[in-house]
Amino acid sequence: MPLLVTDYSWTQTDSTVFISLPLKGRKVEKVDIMSTEEYLKVHYPPYLFEAFLFEPVDDDRSTAKVGNGVAIISLWKRTNKVWEHLMITTNDKEKKKEIRERALFIYQEKLSSESRSKVEKKHAEDKYALEIMMKLENEERDSIQKMKDNEREKTTAELAAWQLRQKQKAEEEAQLKLQSQRDSQNKQAMTEKKWTEGSVGGTVKLDKRDISEGKSKRTQENLPAPRLTGNIQVTFSPRVFPTPLRESRAAEEENWLKKQAEARRAVNADDEELKDLKEEEKNADWLKDKGDKYFATEDYMSAVNAYCLAIRLNRKIPALYSNRSACHLKLKNLHKAIEDSSQALDLLTPPVAANAAARARAHVRRGSAFCQLQLYAEGLQDYQAALKISPHNEVLQADTQRIKDIIQGTDHETQ
């Protein structure tokens, strides 16, 4: 049998009733609160507090805060007036039982309605995200097809122009060859004429130098033009680490660059479900850029889908987890945001200047998720870690101070 709580306190204004219950050492997750417009129950085994309210309240506006060993319940009155008592003064058990059962029925109906609303909302969001993604993919497919058609037309035109040039070149070579044959025949005829004239007087007069010069000229005419020569200069910018030698982290920098290069090559294309993808869709960097575009248009669900597919292809790229964490923050999937930020920080090792900005972003996103879960101490640790990486960031300084003020304000309220 539960123990009834009697050491509670309550105050009121014209519009609100505040009830303070000691939790008697019970943890926050073990506190069960049920509230309707005429009934309030707080159950933290083995203790039970229930109130049959003096006047109806607005349950939709009412709130409850549990922490630091106390539960503070704020009930908004439906009519602005001062109550004589917190609860009704009747001792009629049947009436209280009727109120309790009616409240339980209303509460269950409310939970069922909220559950249906969430399912319908999620279904609508998924349907909308799918429609948008299909629309974008169709537009992208049309754009790619248009580019292919333009390239095909351009290639066809270039091929036709090349064939025309080859034909003209062949005609010119044929004319040159024909002219060379004519010149050779004319020179041979002149040589025979000299031979004949020299033989008339009984003496053969054959000029060997003329014959050799003729052969040399014919050989030179048939030779193609010499090829053009030239040198291509290739230069590479050196990898320079702007750190003094005694503080150099060149080894860590090289280790980081090596890990990134290996991560880009570690593509998992063996999954049966991934074999039907297009070639560009099997590229994790292409999918990351697509997710970034979705995020920029505030289509966070589509961005999450793109990042998820990229992670299935390559699980070693920290930016995929960090960017998916940002999407989960926008969608209020806070635990998933914390998980993705932690995974990104695990991959951003060793900590070097090249990944400092990425580490700072991951800390801020995880800290923001902690703060939205009211885990301000854990959130403060991440913001301080980000501030240590970027100590001159004024926005980070202001956010860190704001979290400290919240924590100090909570401590003051506890005292």
Side-chain angles (χ1 to χ4, degrees):
M1 187 173 185
L3 300 177
L4 298 179
V5 178
T6 58
D7 55 343
Y8 65 91
S9 61
W10 72 286
T11 59
Q12 65 173 322
T13 63
D14 289 343
S15 60
T16 313
V17 174
F18 301 96
I19 303 174
S20 176
L21 293 173
L23 298 181
K24 303 180 185 297
R26 295 299 178 271
K27 295 182 179 180
V28 174
E29 59 269 16
K30 294 186 177 181
V31 179
D32 181 25
I33 301 175
M34 185 185 80
S35 173
T36 65
E37 65 177 9
E38 58 182 349
Y39 177 76
L40 171 66
K41 183 184 78 171
V42 182
H43 186 211
Y44 44 105
Y47 298 98
L48 172 66
F49 171 81
E50 63 176 358
F52 300 91
L53 302 175
F54 189 76
E55 292 284 348
V57 297
D58 188 349
D59 181 53
D60 293 332
R61 299 177 60 192
S62 299
T63 60
K65 292 184 179 180
V66 181
N68 299 321
V70 66
I72 305 297
I73 301 170
S74 303
L75 303 175
W76 287 81
K77 299 177 180 178
R78 286 196 178 276
T79 56
N80 293 334
K81 67 178 182 177
V82 177
W83 291 2
E84 297 178 6
H85 306 283
L86 174 62
M87 309 180 199
I88 60 176
T89 57
T90 181
N91 292 323
D92 189 351
K93 293 183 179 181
E94 291 298 327
K95 182 176 181 181
K96 289 183 177 180
K97 181 180 178 181
E98 180 184 352
I99 293 174
R100 188 185 296 111
E101 292 177 351
R102 184 166 59 248
L104 181 60
F105 177 78
I106 293 173
Y107 184 72
Q108 290 176 346
E109 286 292 325
K110 181 180 179 182
L111 291 179
S112 177
S113 177
E114 290 178 353
S115 177
R116 288 195 300 270
S117 298
K118 287 182 180 179
V119 171
E120 293 174 357
K121 182 179 180 182
K122 186 178 184 304
H123 179 71
E125 289 177 350
D126 292 344
K127 182 178 179 181
Y128 177 74
L130 181 61
E131 291 176 352
I132 294 299
M133 181 177 290
M134 292 176 62
K135 180 181 178 181
L136 292 174
E137 288 178 351
N138 290 334
E139 292 177 354
E140 186 173 359
R141 190 180 298 109
D142 294 340
S143 176
I144 292 173
Q145 186 61 41
K146 186 177 180 180
M147 291 173 60
K148 288 182 178 179
D149 294 340
N150 292 336
E151 288 296 327
R152 187 182 296 109
E153 292 177 359
K154 182 180 178 181
T155 304
T156 303
E158 291 178 352
L159 179 61
W162 179 82
Q163 291 175 343
L164 180 61
R165 289 195 300 270
Q166 291 296 110
K167 183 178 180 181
Q168 293 175 350
K169 184 178 179 180
E171 292 176 353
E172 291 176 357
E173 289 178 352
Q175 290 178 358
L176 290 174
K177 186 175 181 180
L178 181 61
Q179 184 64 33
S180 176
Q181 290 176 353
R182 289 175 180 174
D183 293 342
S184 178
Q185 290 174 358
N186 293 334
K187 189 167 291 187
Q188 186 176 1
M190 292 176 65
T191 302
E192 292 177 353
K193 183 178 180 181
K194 287 182 180 180
W195 175 272
T196 304
E197 291 175 352
S199 300
V200 172
T203 305
V204 178
K205 296 181 180 180
L206 184 60
D207 195 343
K208 294 183 178 179
R209 186 178 61 185
D210 292 342
I211 296 173
S212 62
E213 288 178 355
K215 289 182 179 180
S216 176
K217 288 181 180 179
R218 288 196 300 274
T219 303
Q220 291 178 358
E221 288 175 354
N222 293 330
L223 290 176
R227 295 181 179 178
L228 298 177
T229 60
N231 296 324
I232 300 175
Q233 299 294 331
V234 179
T235 58
F236 300 93
S237 59
R239 175 65 174 166
V240 179
F241 299 95
T243 308
L245 185 59
R246 64 181 180 276
E247 301 175 0
S248 175
R249 303 192 67 185
E252 289 85 348
E253 290 280 356
E254 293 298 337
N255 186 16
W256 165 251
L257 295 176
K258 183 178 178 181
K259 284 180 64 178
Q260 292 304 297
E262 291 175 352
R264 297 295 177 186
R265 292 193 297 268
V267 176
N268 179 21
D270 296 332
D271 196 334
E272 289 294 335
E273 297 180 4
L274 304 179
K275 290 184 178 180
D276 295 333
L277 298 178
K278 299 178 182 177
E279 285 302 320
E280 65 268 16
E281 292 174 344
K282 294 181 181 179
N283 188 329
D285 291 326
W286 184 87
L287 289 168
K288 175 183 173 298
D289 294 338
K290 190 172 184 178
D292 295 343
K293 292 177 182 178
Y294 284 139
F295 186 88
T297 59
E298 300 182 0
D299 188 357
Y300 305 120
M301 287 298 299
S302 298
V304 167
N305 293 334
Y307 293 137
C308 287
L309 183 55
I311 289 172
R312 289 181 62 185
L313 290 169
N314 194 329
R315 301 180 183 276
K316 300 295 183 181
I317 301 178
L320 297 176
Y321 294 96
S322 183
N323 291 3
R324 191 172 69 175
S325 172
C327 295
H328 285 316
L329 272 177
K330 294 291 187 180
L331 296 171
K332 300 301 180 183
N333 300 329
L334 303 178
H335 292 90
K336 291 183 179 180
I338 293 172
E339 182 180 349
D340 279 347
S341 299
S342 301
Q343 184 65 33
L345 289 170
D346 290 341
L347 293 173
L348 288 168
T349 55
V352 294
N355 59 23
R359 285 186 286 116
R361 286 193 296 271
H363 277 299
V364 168
R365 286 165 183 168
R366 188 169 70 177
S368 177
F370 276 130
C371 290
Q372 291 185 50
L373 289 171
Q374 297 186 359
L375 300 174
Y376 297 108
E378 290 81 354
L380 179 60
Q381 291 179 1
D382 273 310
Y383 270 92
Q384 288 176 336
L387 193 59
K388 186 176 180 180
I389 297 172
S390 181
H392 303 296
N393 191 315
E394 296 180 356
V395 176
L396 269 179
Q397 293 173 359
D399 290 342
T400 304
Q401 186 60 46
R402 191 177 298 111
I403 297 171
K404 289 180 179 178
D405 293 341
I406 292 173
I407 294 175
Q408 292 174 357
T410 304
D411 293 340
H412 292 325
E413 289 178 2
T414 304
Q415 295 174 1

